[in-house]
Amino acid sequence: MYIDLSAVYFVFGTILSLLGIALLILLIILAVKLIKVVSNIGAIINKNKENIDSTLEGLPTITENVVEISGELKDVSAAVTETTADLIVAKENFTSQIDFVKEVVGIISKMFFNKDKK
């Protein structure tokens, strides 16, 4: 008994041929869909060409405005930092003055309350 290899080759060859044909059909479908997508993108770009052009023309102005605003923000940030530091110093001075007043009031109250007890 022997196996006829030509029949096996024929079956495998047929299966591979059918798979190849199916793959080619899928590739053709993919190519058609891809062409449709590219044509839709082209139509959208053509439809909005004026808007795209006006946007691109305005980009340098927008960029300059962003640079100017960022510079102003740096100045504002520096001013806020200085003001915060000044407020911290003022708070510390105010706190120390309140502590001083509390000590003076404490001394005065001890003088009056201690006289009443004697």
Side-chain angles (χ1 to χ4, degrees), residues 1-113:
M1 276 201 216
Y2 68 94
I3 297 176
D4 187 16
L5 289 179
S6 63
V8 174
Y9 288 140
F10 177 74
V11 171
F12 282 124
T14 304
I15 292 173
L16 287 176
S17 297
L18 291 174
L19 287 175
I21 291 170
L23 182 63
L24 284 175
I25 291 171
L26 288 175
L27 286 175
I28 290 170
I29 292 171
L30 178 69
V32 167
K33 288 186 178 188
L34 186 63
I35 289 170
K36 285 182 183 179
V37 168
V38 169
S39 66
N40 285 339
I41 290 173
I44 290 171
I45 289 174
N46 287 334
K47 187 176 180 181
N48 292 310
K49 186 173 182 169
E50 293 177 14
N51 294 333
I52 294 170
D53 289 341
S54 65
T55 302
L56 291 176
E57 288 174 3
L59 280 179
T61 306
I62 293 169
T63 305
E64 290 172 5
N65 290 341
V66 168
V67 168
E68 182 179 330
I69 289 171
S70 66
E72 291 175 4
L73 284 176
K74 287 179 185 176
D75 295 340
V76 169
S77 174
V80 167
T81 302
E82 289 178 21
T83 303
T84 304
D86 291 343
L87 286 174
I88 290 171
V89 169
K91 180 195 108 206
E92 290 172 355
N93 289 339
F94 185 72
T95 304
S96 66
Q97 289 176 358
I98 295 253
D99 290 339
F100 176 73
V101 169
K102 283 172 39 180
E103 289 176 11
V104 169
V105 169
I107 292 171
I108 292 173
S109 67
K110 285 181 184 178
M111 285 175 38
F112 286 116
F113 289 125

